[in-house]
Coordinates of all heavy atoms in Angstrom, one line a residue:
M1 N 109.5 93.8 165.2 CA 108.3 94.1 164.5 C 107.1 93.5 165.2 O 107.1 92.4 165.7 CB 108.5 93.4 163.1 CG 107.4 93.6 162.2 SD 107.7 92.9 160.6 CE 106.9 94.1 159.6
Q2 N 106.1 94.3 165.3 CA 104.9 94.0 166.0 C 104.0 93.2 165.1 O 103.9 93.4 163.9 CB 104.1 95.2 166.4 CG 104.9 96.0 167.5 CD 104.1 97.3 167.9 OE1 103.2 97.6 167.2 NE2 104.5 97.8 168.9
P3 N 103.3 92.3 165.7 CA 102.3 91.5 164.9 C 101.2 92.4 164.3 O 100.9 93.4 164.9 CB 101.7 90.4 165.9 CG 102.1 90.9 167.2 CD 103.2 91.9 167.1
F4 N 100.7 92.0 163.2 CA 99.6 92.7 162.6 C 98.3 92.7 163.4 O 97.9 91.5 163.8 CB 99.4 92.3 161.1 CG 98.2 92.8 160.4 CD1 98.3 94.0 159.9 CD2 97.0 92.3 160.3 CE1 97.3 94.7 159.2 CE2 95.9 92.8 159.7 CZ 96.0 94.0 159.1
E5 N 97.7 93.8 163.7 CA 96.4 93.7 164.3 C 95.4 94.3 163.3 O 95.6 95.1 162.5 CB 96.5 94.6 165.6 CG 97.4 94.0 166.6 CD 97.4 94.6 168.0 OE1 96.4 95.4 168.1 OE2 98.4 94.5 168.7
E6 N 94.1 93.8 163.6 CA 93.1 94.3 162.7 C 92.8 95.7 162.6 O 92.5 96.3 161.5 CB 91.8 93.6 163.2 CG 90.6 93.7 162.2 CD 89.4 92.9 162.6 OE1 89.6 91.8 163.1 OE2 88.3 93.3 162.4
N7 N 93.1 96.4 163.6 CA 92.9 97.9 163.6 C 94.0 98.7 163.0 O 93.9 99.9 163.0 CB 92.8 98.4 165.1 CG 91.4 97.8 165.8 OD1 90.6 97.4 165.1 ND2 91.5 97.8 167.1
D8 N 95.0 98.0 162.5 CA 96.2 98.7 162.0 C 96.0 99.2 160.6 O 96.8 100.0 160.1 CB 97.4 97.8 162.0 CG 98.0 97.6 163.4 OD1 97.6 98.3 164.3 OD2 98.9 96.7 163.5
W9 N 95.0 98.8 159.9 CA 94.9 99.3 158.5 C 93.6 100.2 158.3 O 92.7 100.1 159.1 CB 94.9 98.1 157.5 CG 93.8 97.1 157.8 CD1 93.8 96.1 158.7 CD2 92.6 96.9 157.1 NE1 92.7 95.4 158.7 CE2 91.9 95.9 157.6 CE3 92.1 97.6 156.0 CZ2 90.6 95.5 157.2 CZ3 90.8 97.2 155.5 CH2 90.2 96.2 156.2
S10 N 93.8 100.9 157.3 CA 92.6 101.9 157.1 C 91.5 101.2 156.5 O 91.6 100.2 155.7 CB 93.1 103.0 156.1 OG 92.1 103.8 155.7
T11 N 90.3 101.6 156.9 CA 89.1 101.1 156.3 C 88.6 101.8 155.2 O 87.6 101.4 154.6 CB 87.9 101.0 157.4 OG1 87.8 102.4 157.8 CG2 88.3 100.2 158.6
D12 N 89.3 102.8 154.7 CA 88.9 103.6 153.5 C 89.4 102.7 152.3 O 90.6 102.7 152.0 CB 89.6 105.0 153.4 CG 89.0 105.8 154.5 OD1 87.8 105.6 154.9 OD2 89.7 106.8 154.9
V13 N 88.5 102.1 151.6 CA 88.8 101.4 150.4 C 87.9 101.7 149.2 O 86.7 101.9 149.4 CB 88.6 99.8 150.7 CG1 88.8 99.0 149.5 CG2 89.5 99.4 151.9
D14 N 88.5 102.0 148.1 CA 87.8 102.3 146.9 C 87.2 100.9 146.3 O 87.9 100.0 146.2 CB 88.6 103.0 145.8 CG 88.9 104.3 146.3 OD1 88.1 104.9 147.0 OD2 90.0 104.9 145.9
V15 N 85.9 100.9 146.0 CA 85.4 99.8 145.5 C 84.7 100.0 144.2 O 84.0 101.0 144.0 CB 84.2 99.0 146.4 CG1 83.5 97.9 145.8 CG2 84.9 98.8 147.8
L16 N 84.9 99.2 143.2 CA 84.3 99.4 141.9 C 82.8 99.0 141.9 O 82.6 97.9 142.3 CB 85.0 98.5 140.8 CG 84.6 98.6 139.4 CD1 84.7 100.0 138.8 CD2 85.3 97.6 138.6
D17 N 81.9 100.0 141.7 CA 80.6 99.7 141.9 C 79.9 99.0 140.7 O 79.1 98.1 140.8 CB 79.8 101.0 142.1 CG 80.1 101.6 143.4 OD1 80.3 100.8 144.4 OD2 80.1 102.8 143.5
D18 N 80.4 99.4 139.5 CA 79.8 98.8 138.3 C 81.0 98.1 137.4 O 82.0 98.8 137.3 CB 79.1 99.9 137.4 CG 77.9 100.5 138.1 OD1 77.2 99.8 138.8 OD2 77.7 101.7 138.1
V19 N 80.6 97.1 136.9 CA 81.6 96.5 135.9 C 81.0 97.0 134.5 O 79.8 96.7 134.1 CB 81.5 95.0 136.0 CG1 82.4 94.4 134.9 CG2 82.1 94.5 137.4
V20 N 81.8 97.6 133.8 CA 81.5 98.1 132.5 C 82.1 97.1 131.5 O 83.3 96.9 131.4 CB 82.0 99.5 132.2 CG1 81.7 100.0 130.8 CG2 81.4 100.5 133.2
E21 N 81.3 96.4 130.6 CA 81.8 95.5 129.6 C 81.8 96.2 128.3 O 80.9 96.9 127.9 CB 80.8 94.4 129.4 CG 80.8 93.4 130.7 CD 80.1 92.2 130.5 OE1 80.0 91.8 129.3 OE2 79.6 91.6 131.4
T22 N 82.9 96.2 127.7 CA 83.1 97.0 126.4 C 83.5 95.9 125.3 O 84.3 95.0 125.6 CB 84.3 97.9 126.4 OG1 85.5 97.3 126.9 CG2 83.9 99.0 127.4
D23 N 82.8 95.9 124.3 CA 83.2 95.0 123.1 C 84.2 95.8 122.3 O 83.9 96.9 121.7 CB 81.9 94.8 122.3 CG 81.0 93.8 123.0 OD1 81.5 93.0 123.8 OD2 79.8 93.8 122.7
V24 N 85.3 95.2 122.1 CA 86.4 95.7 121.3 C 86.3 95.1 119.9 O 86.2 93.9 119.8 CB 87.8 95.5 121.9 CG1 88.8 96.1 121.0 CG2 87.9 96.2 123.3
H25 N 86.1 95.9 118.9 CA 86.0 95.5 117.5 C 87.3 95.8 116.8 O 88.1 96.8 117.3 CB 84.8 96.1 116.9 CG 83.5 95.7 117.4 ND1 83.0 96.2 118.6 CD2 82.6 94.7 117.0 CE1 81.8 95.7 118.8 NE2 81.6 94.7 117.9
N26 N 87.6 95.2 115.7 CA 88.7 95.4 114.8 C 88.3 96.0 113.5 O 87.3 95.4 112.9 CB 89.5 94.2 114.7 CG 90.0 93.6 115.9 OD1 90.6 94.3 116.7 ND2 89.7 92.4 116.2
L27 N 88.9 97.0 113.0 CA 88.7 97.5 111.8 C 89.8 96.8 110.9 O 91.0 97.0 111.0 CB 88.9 99.0 111.6 CG 88.9 99.7 110.2 CD1 87.5 99.4 109.5 CD2 89.0 101.2 110.3
V28 N 89.4 96.0 110.0 CA 90.2 95.2 109.2 C 90.2 95.6 107.7 O 89.1 95.7 107.1 CB 89.8 93.6 109.3 CG1 90.7 92.7 108.3 CG2 89.8 93.1 110.7
V29 N 91.4 95.8 107.2 CA 91.4 96.2 105.8 C 92.1 95.0 105.0 O 93.0 94.3 105.5 CB 92.4 97.4 105.6 CG1 92.7 97.8 104.1 CG2 91.8 98.7 106.3
F30 N 91.6 94.7 103.9 CA 91.9 93.6 103.1 C 92.7 94.0 101.8 O 92.5 95.1 101.2 CB 90.5 92.8 102.6 CG 89.8 92.3 103.7 CD1 88.8 93.0 104.3 CD2 90.0 91.1 104.3 CE1 88.0 92.6 105.4 CE2 89.3 90.6 105.3 CZ 88.3 91.3 105.9
N31 N 93.5 93.1 101.4 CA 94.4 93.3 100.2 C 93.6 93.2 98.9 O 92.5 92.5 98.9 CB 95.4 92.2 100.2 CG 96.5 92.5 99.2 OD1 96.9 93.6 98.9 ND2 97.0 91.5 98.4
D32 N 93.9 93.9 97.9 CA 93.4 93.7 96.6 C 94.5 94.0 95.6 O 95.6 94.3 96.0 CB 92.3 94.8 96.4 CG 92.6 96.3 96.5 OD1 93.8 96.6 96.1 OD2 91.8 97.0 97.0
D33 N 94.1 93.9 94.3 CA 95.1 94.0 93.2 C 94.9 95.4 92.6 O 95.5 95.6 91.4 CB 95.0 93.0 92.2 CG 95.4 91.6 92.8 OD1 96.3 91.6 93.7 OD2 94.8 90.6 92.3
V34 N 94.2 96.3 93.1 CA 93.8 97.6 92.4 C 94.5 98.8 93.1 O 95.1 99.5 92.4 CB 92.3 97.8 92.6 CG1 91.9 99.0 91.9 CG2 91.5 96.6 91.9
N35 N 94.5 98.9 94.5 CA 94.9 100.0 95.2 C 96.5 100.0 95.3 O 97.0 98.9 95.6 CB 94.3 100.3 96.5 CG 92.8 100.6 96.3 OD1 92.4 101.6 95.9 ND2 92.0 99.5 96.7
T36 N 97.1 101.2 95.2 CA 98.6 101.3 95.3 C 98.9 101.4 96.8 O 98.0 101.8 97.6 CB 99.0 102.6 94.7 OG1 98.6 103.8 95.3 CG2 98.7 102.6 93.2
F37 N 100.1 101.1 97.1 CA 100.6 101.3 98.5 C 100.4 102.7 99.0 O 100.0 102.9 100.1 CB 102.1 100.9 98.6 CG 102.4 99.5 98.6 CD1 102.4 98.6 97.6 CD2 102.7 98.9 99.9 CE1 102.7 97.3 97.6 CE2 103.0 97.4 100.0 CZ 102.9 96.7 98.9
E38 N 100.7 103.6 98.1 CA 100.6 105.0 98.4 C 99.1 105.5 98.8 O 99.0 106.1 99.8 CB 101.1 105.9 97.3 CG 101.0 107.4 97.5 CD 102.4 107.9 97.8 OE1 103.4 107.2 97.6 OE2 102.4 109.2 98.1
H39 N 98.2 105.0 98.1 CA 96.9 105.3 98.4 C 96.4 104.7 99.7 O 95.7 105.4 100.4 CB 95.9 104.7 97.2 CG 94.5 105.0 97.4 ND1 93.9 106.3 97.5 CD2 93.4 104.1 97.5 CE1 92.6 106.2 97.7 NE2 92.3 104.9 97.7
V40 N 96.8 103.4 99.9 CA 96.4 102.7 101.2 C 97.0 103.5 102.4 O 96.4 103.8 103.4 CB 96.7 101.2 101.2 CG1 96.4 100.6 102.6 CG2 95.9 100.6 100.1
I41 N 98.3 103.8 102.2 CA 99.0 104.5 103.3 C 98.4 105.9 103.5 O 98.1 106.2 104.7 CB 100.5 104.7 102.9 CG1 101.2 103.4 102.9 CG2 101.2 105.7 103.8 CD1 102.6 103.3 102.3
D42 N 98.1 106.6 102.5 CA 97.4 108.0 102.7 C 96.1 107.8 103.3 O 95.7 108.6 104.2 CB 97.3 108.6 101.3 CG 98.7 109.1 100.7 OD1 99.6 109.2 101.5 OD2 98.7 109.5 99.5
T43 N 95.3 106.8 103.0 CA 94.1 106.6 103.5 C 94.2 106.2 105.1 O 93.4 106.8 105.8 CB 93.3 105.4 102.8 OG1 93.1 105.8 101.5 CG2 91.9 105.1 103.5
L44 N 95.0 105.5 105.4 CA 95.2 105.1 106.9 C 95.6 106.3 107.7 O 95.2 106.5 108.8 CB 96.2 103.9 107.0 CG 95.7 102.6 106.5 CD1 96.8 101.5 106.6 CD2 94.5 102.2 107.1
I45 N 96.4 107.2 107.1 CA 96.9 108.3 107.7 C 95.6 109.3 107.9 O 95.4 109.8 108.9 CB 98.1 109.0 107.0 CG1 99.3 108.2 107.1 CG2 98.3 110.4 107.6 CD1 100.5 108.7 106.3
D46 N 94.9 109.5 106.8 CA 93.8 110.5 106.8 C 92.6 109.9 107.7 O 92.1 110.7 108.6 CB 93.3 110.7 105.4 CG 94.2 111.5 104.6 OD1 95.1 112.0 105.1 OD2 94.1 111.4 103.4
V47 N 92.3 108.7 107.5 CA 91.1 108.1 108.2 C 91.3 107.6 109.6 O 90.6 107.9 110.5 CB 90.4 107.1 107.3 CG1 89.2 106.4 108.0 CG2 90.0 107.5 105.9
C48 N 92.3 106.9 109.8 CA 92.6 106.2 111.1 C 93.6 107.0 111.9 O 93.9 106.6 113.1 CB 93.2 104.9 110.8 SG 92.1 103.8 110.0
E49 N 94.1 108.2 111.4 CA 95.1 109.0 112.1 C 96.4 108.3 112.5 O 97.0 108.4 113.5 CB 94.5 109.7 113.4 CG 93.3 110.6 113.0 CD 92.7 111.1 114.2 OE1 93.0 110.8 115.4 OE2 91.8 112.0 114.1
H50 N 96.8 107.4 111.6 CA 98.0 106.6 111.8 C 99.2 107.6 111.5 O 99.0 108.6 110.7 CB 98.1 105.5 110.7 CG 97.4 104.3 111.2 ND1 97.6 103.0 110.6 CD2 96.4 104.1 112.0 CE1 96.8 102.1 111.1 NE2 95.9 102.7 112.1
T51 N 100.4 107.2 112.0 CA 101.6 107.9 111.6 C 102.0 107.3 110.3 O 101.5 106.3 109.9 CB 102.8 107.7 112.7 OG1 103.0 106.2 112.7 CG2 102.3 108.1 114.0
Q52 N 102.9 107.9 109.7 CA 103.4 107.4 108.4 C 104.0 106.0 108.7 O 103.7 105.1 107.9 CB 104.6 108.3 107.9 CG 105.2 107.9 106.6 CD 104.4 108.2 105.4 OE1 103.5 109.1 105.4 NE2 104.4 107.4 104.4
E53 N 104.7 105.7 109.7 CA 105.4 104.4 110.0 C 104.2 103.4 110.3 O 104.3 102.2 109.7 CB 106.3 104.5 111.2 CG 107.0 103.2 111.5 CD 108.0 103.4 112.6 OE1 107.7 104.1 113.5 OE2 109.0 102.7 112.5
Q54 N 103.2 103.7 111.1 CA 102.1 102.8 111.3 C 101.4 102.4 110.0 O 101.1 101.3 109.8 CB 101.1 103.4 112.2 CG 101.5 103.5 113.7 CD 100.4 104.3 114.4 OE1 100.0 105.4 114.1 NE2 99.9 103.7 115.5
A55 N 101.1 103.4 109.2 CA 100.4 103.2 107.9 C 101.3 102.3 107.0 O 100.7 101.4 106.4 CB 100.1 104.5 107.3
E56 N 102.6 102.5 106.9 CA 103.4 101.7 106.1 C 103.4 100.2 106.5 O 103.3 99.3 105.8 CB 104.8 102.4 106.1 CG 104.9 103.6 105.3 CD 106.3 104.3 105.4 OE1 107.2 103.8 106.1 OE2 106.4 105.4 104.7
Q57 N 103.6 100.1 107.9 CA 103.7 98.8 108.4 C 102.3 98.0 108.2 O 102.3 96.8 107.9 CB 104.0 98.7 109.9 CG 105.4 99.2 110.2 CD 105.7 99.4 111.7 OE1 104.8 99.4 112.5 NE2 107.0 99.5 112.0
C58 N 101.2 98.6 108.5 CA 99.9 98.0 108.1 C 99.7 97.7 106.7 O 99.2 96.6 106.3 CB 98.7 99.0 108.6 SG 98.5 99.0 110.4
T59 N 100.2 98.6 105.8 CA 100.1 98.3 104.4 C 100.8 97.1 103.9 O 100.4 96.4 103.1 CB 100.4 99.6 103.6 OG1 99.6 100.6 103.9 CG2 100.3 99.4 102.1
L60 N 102.0 96.9 104.5 CA 102.9 95.7 104.2 C 102.2 94.5 104.7 O 102.2 93.5 104.0 CB 104.3 95.9 104.8 CG 105.2 96.9 104.1 CD1 106.5 97.1 104.9 CD2 105.6 96.4 102.7
L61 N 101.6 94.5 106.0 CA 100.9 93.4 106.4 C 99.8 93.1 105.6 O 99.4 91.9 105.2 CB 100.4 93.6 107.9 CG 101.7 93.6 108.9 CD1 101.1 94.1 110.2 CD2 102.1 92.2 109.0
I62 N 99.0 94.1 105.1 CA 97.8 93.8 104.2 C 98.3 93.2 102.9 O 97.7 92.2 102.5 CB 97.2 95.2 103.9 CG1 96.5 95.8 105.1 CG2 96.1 95.1 102.7 CD1 96.1 97.3 105.1
H63 N 99.3 93.6 102.3 CA 99.9 93.1 101.1 C 100.4 91.6 101.3 O 100.0 90.8 100.4 CB 101.0 94.0 100.6 CG 101.7 93.5 99.4 ND1 101.0 93.6 98.2 CD2 102.8 92.9 99.2 CE1 101.8 93.0 97.2 NE2 102.9 92.6 97.7
Y64 N 101.1 91.4 102.3 CA 101.8 90.1 102.4 C 100.9 89.0 103.2 O 100.9 87.9 102.9 CB 103.1 90.2 103.1 CG 104.1 90.8 102.3 CD1 104.7 92.0 102.5 CD2 104.6 90.1 101.1 CE1 105.6 92.7 101.7 CE2 105.5 90.6 100.3 CZ 106.0 91.9 100.5 OH 106.9 92.5 99.7
K65 N 100.1 89.5 104.0 CA 99.2 88.6 104.9 C 97.8 88.5 104.3 O 96.9 87.6 104.7 CB 99.1 89.0 106.4 CG 100.5 89.0 107.0 CD 100.9 87.5 107.1 CE 102.2 87.5 108.1 NZ 102.7 86.1 108.3
G66 N 97.4 89.5 103.5 CA 96.0 89.5 102.9 C 95.0 90.4 103.7 O 93.9 90.7 103.2
K67 N 95.4 90.8 104.9 CA 94.6 91.6 105.7 C 95.3 92.1 106.9 O 96.3 91.6 107.3 CB 93.2 90.9 106.2 CG 93.5 89.8 107.1 CD 92.2 89.0 107.4 CE 92.6 87.8 108.2 NZ 91.3 87.1 108.6
C68 N 94.8 93.2 107.5 CA 95.4 93.7 108.7 C 94.4 94.5 109.5 O 93.6 95.2 109.0 CB 96.5 94.6 108.4 SG 97.3 95.3 109.9
A69 N 94.3 94.2 110.9 CA 93.5 95.0 111.8 C 94.2 96.3 112.0 O 95.2 96.4 112.7 CB 93.3 94.2 113.1
V70 N 93.7 97.4 111.4 CA 94.3 98.6 111.4 C 93.9 99.5 112.6 O 94.6 100.5 112.9 CB 94.2 99.4 110.0 CG1 94.7 98.6 109.0 CG2 92.7 99.7 109.8
K71 N 92.8 99.2 113.2 CA 92.4 100.0 114.3 C 91.5 99.2 115.2 O 90.7 98.3 114.7 CB 91.6 101.2 113.8 CG 91.3 102.2 114.8 CD 92.4 103.3 114.9 CE 92.0 104.5 115.6 NZ 93.1 105.4 115.9
N72 N 91.5 99.4 116.5 CA 90.6 98.7 117.5 C 89.8 99.8 118.2 O 90.2 100.9 118.4 CB 91.5 97.9 118.6 CG 92.4 96.9 118.0 OD1 92.0 96.2 117.1 ND2 93.5 96.8 118.6
G73 N 88.5 99.3 118.5 CA 87.7 100.2 119.2 C 86.3 99.8 119.2 O 86.0 98.7 119.0
S74 N 85.4 100.8 119.5 CA 84.0 100.4 119.6 C 83.4 100.4 118.2 O 83.9 101.0 117.3 CB 83.3 101.5 120.5 OG 83.2 102.7 119.8
W75 N 82.2 99.7 118.1 CA 81.6 99.7 116.8 C 81.2 101.1 116.3 O 81.5 101.3 115.1 CB 80.2 98.9 117.1 CG 79.4 98.7 115.8 CD1 78.4 99.5 115.4 CD2 79.5 97.8 114.8 NE1 77.9 99.0 114.3 CE2 78.5 98.0 113.9 CE3 80.3 96.7 114.6 CZ2 78.4 97.2 112.7 CZ3 80.2 95.9 113.5 CH2 79.2 96.1 112.5
E76 N 80.7 101.9 117.3 CA 80.3 103.3 116.8 C 81.5 104.1 116.4 O 81.3 104.9 115.5 CB 79.6 103.9 118.1 CG 78.3 103.4 118.5 CD 78.4 102.1 119.3 OE1 79.6 101.8 119.8 OE2 77.5 101.4 119.4
E77 N 82.7 103.8 116.9 CA 83.9 104.5 116.5 C 84.4 104.1 115.1 O 84.9 104.8 114.2 CB 85.0 104.4 117.5 CG 86.3 105.0 117.2 CD 87.4 104.6 118.2 OE1 87.2 103.7 118.9 OE2 88.5 105.3 118.2
L78 N 84.3 102.8 114.9 CA 85.0 102.1 113.7 C 84.2 102.2 112.5 O 84.7 102.2 111.3 CB 85.4 100.7 114.0 CG 86.4 100.6 115.2 CD1 86.7 99.1 115.3 CD2 87.7 101.4 114.9
V79 N 82.7 102.1 112.6 CA 81.9 102.1 111.4 C 82.1 103.3 110.5 O 82.3 103.1 109.3 CB 80.5 101.9 111.8 CG1 79.5 102.1 110.6 CG2 80.2 100.5 112.3
P80 N 82.2 104.6 111.0 CA 82.4 105.6 110.1 C 83.8 105.6 109.4 O 83.8 106.0 108.2 CB 82.3 106.9 111.1 CG 81.5 106.4 112.2 CD 81.8 105.0 112.3
M81 N 84.8 105.0 110.0 CA 86.1 104.9 109.4 C 86.0 103.9 108.4 O 86.6 104.1 107.3 CB 87.2 104.5 110.5 CG 87.5 105.5 111.5 SD 88.7 104.8 112.7 CE 88.8 106.2 113.8
R82 N 85.3 102.8 108.6 CA 85.2 101.7 107.6 C 84.5 102.1 106.4 O 84.9 102.0 105.2 CB 84.3 100.5 108.2 CG 84.2 99.4 107.3 CD 82.7 99.4 106.8 NE 82.5 98.3 105.8 CZ 81.7 98.4 104.8 NH1 81.0 99.5 104.6 NH2 81.5 97.4 104.0
N83 N 83.4 103.1 106.6 CA 82.7 103.6 105.5 C 83.5 104.5 104.6 O 83.5 104.5 103.4 CB 81.4 104.3 106.0 CG 80.4 103.4 106.6 OD1 80.5 102.2 106.4 ND2 79.5 103.9 107.4
E84 N 84.4 105.3 105.2 CA 85.2 106.2 104.5 C 86.3 105.5 103.8 O 86.7 105.9 102.7 CB 85.9 107.3 105.6 CG 86.9 108.2 104.8 CD 86.1 109.1 103.7 OE1 84.8 109.3 103.7 OE2 86.8 109.6 102.8
I85 N 86.8 104.4 104.4 CA 87.9 103.6 103.7 C 87.3 103.0 102.5 O 87.8 103.0 101.4 CB 88.5 102.6 104.7 CG1 89.3 103.3 105.7 CG2 89.3 101.5 103.9 CD1 89.8 102.4 106.9
C86 N 86.0 102.4 102.6 CA 85.3 101.8 101.5 C 85.0 102.9 100.4 O 85.1 102.5 99.2 CB 84.1 101.0 102.0 SG 84.4 99.6 102.9
R87 N 84.7 104.0 100.8 CA 84.4 105.1 99.9 C 85.7 105.4 99.0 O 85.5 105.8 97.9 CB 84.0 106.3 100.7 CG 83.3 107.5 99.7 CD 83.1 108.8 100.4 NE 84.4 109.4 100.9 CZ 85.2 110.1 100.0 NH1 85.0 110.1 98.7 NH2 86.2 110.7 100.5
R88 N 86.7 105.2 99.6 CA 88.0 105.5 98.9 C 88.5 104.3 98.0 O 89.5 104.2 97.5 CB 89.1 105.9 99.8 CG 88.8 107.2 100.5 CD 89.8 107.5 101.5 NE 89.5 108.7 102.3 CZ 90.5 109.6 102.7 NH1 91.6 109.4 102.5 NH2 90.0 110.7 103.4
G89 N 87.5 103.2 98.0 CA 87.8 102.1 97.0 C 88.6 101.0 97.7 O 89.2 100.1 97.0
I90 N 88.8 100.9 99.0 CA 89.6 100.0 99.7 C 88.6 99.1 100.4 O 87.7 99.6 101.1 CB 90.6 100.6 100.6 CG1 91.6 101.5 99.8 CG2 91.4 99.5 101.4 CD1 92.5 102.4 100.7
S91 N 88.8 97.8 100.5 CA 87.9 96.8 101.1 C 88.2 96.9 102.6 O 89.3 96.6 103.0 CB 88.0 95.4 100.5 OG 87.2 94.6 101.1
A92 N 87.2 96.9 103.4 CA 87.4 97.0 104.9 C 86.1 96.5 105.6 O 85.0 96.7 105.0 CB 87.8 98.3 105.4
E93 N 86.3 95.9 106.7 CA 85.1 95.4 107.6 C 85.4 95.7 109.0 O 86.6 95.6 109.4 CB 84.8 93.9 107.3 CG 84.3 93.6 106.0 CD 82.9 94.2 105.6 OE1 82.2 94.5 106.6 OE2 82.7 94.4 104.5
V94 N 84.3 95.9 109.8 CA 84.5 95.9 111.3 C 84.1 94.5 111.8 O 83.0 94.0 111.5 CB 83.6 96.9 111.9 CG1 83.7 96.9 113.5 CG2 83.9 98.4 111.4
L95 N 85.0 93.9 112.5 CA 84.8 92.4 112.9 C 85.1 92.4 114.5 O 85.8 93.2 115.1 CB 85.9 91.6 112.3 CG 85.8 91.6 110.7 CD1 87.0 90.7 110.2 CD2 84.5 91.1 110.2
N96 N 84.4 91.4 115.1 CA 84.7 91.2 116.6 C 86.0 90.5 116.8 O 86.6 89.9 116.1 CB 83.7 90.2 117.1 CG 82.3 90.9 117.4 OD1 82.3 92.1 117.5 ND2 81.3 90.1 117.5

């Protein structure tokens, strides 16, 4: 094996020019004594595009833990979802 020489490697290197900082927010749904499991599950499927299994798991966490982060994303993406969930009578907030 020959020793490594400076000229042995390519000088074509991709360099990241800009660092893009993104704030990831959480859409958190809170437990209540009013809404049924079925209503919360249907809402998560409709609004957050969850699968049946995802919606059921989140709903169980909401029930037993008091809240669950049901979706992560940008503020702009999550606020309309939060508004629709609240319009359906379910308590939700977008948090950092």
Side-chain angles (χ1 to χ4, degrees):
M1 182 176 216
Q2 295 179 344
F4 175 78
E5 293 184 21
E6 191 172 323
N7 296 340
D8 285 347
W9 58 283
S10 172
T11 57
D12 293 334
V13 177
D14 291 330
V15 177
L16 180 62
D17 292 327
D18 296 321
V19 175
V20 178
E21 292 188 27
T22 58
D23 286 333
V24 176
H25 294 79
N26 299 309
L27 176 57
V28 179
V29 174
F30 297 94
N31 189 38
D32 62 36
D33 295 329
V34 179
N35 292 292
T36 65
F37 278 80
E38 181 105 6
H39 178 60
V40 176
I41 290 168
D42 290 343
T43 298
L44 294 177
I45 291 170
D46 291 345
V47 176
C48 300
E49 298 180 353
H50 280 199
T51 64
Q52 181 75 30
E53 184 178 35
Q54 285 175 308
E56 289 172 0
Q57 289 175 351
C58 285
T59 301
L60 286 172
L61 287 170
I62 292 164
H63 179 73
Y64 288 110
K65 299 287 187 178
K67 63 183 176 181
C68 178
V70 298
K71 192 88 170 176
N72 300 322
S74 69
W75 179 266
E76 293 77 16
E77 175 188 14
L78 298 180
V79 168
M81 291 181 187
R82 180 256 180 211
N83 292 343
E84 180 59 23
I85 290 170
C86 290
R87 190 189 70 72
R88 297 178 186 213
I90 301 168
S91 179
E93 291 295 333
V94 177
L95 305 172
N96 280 342

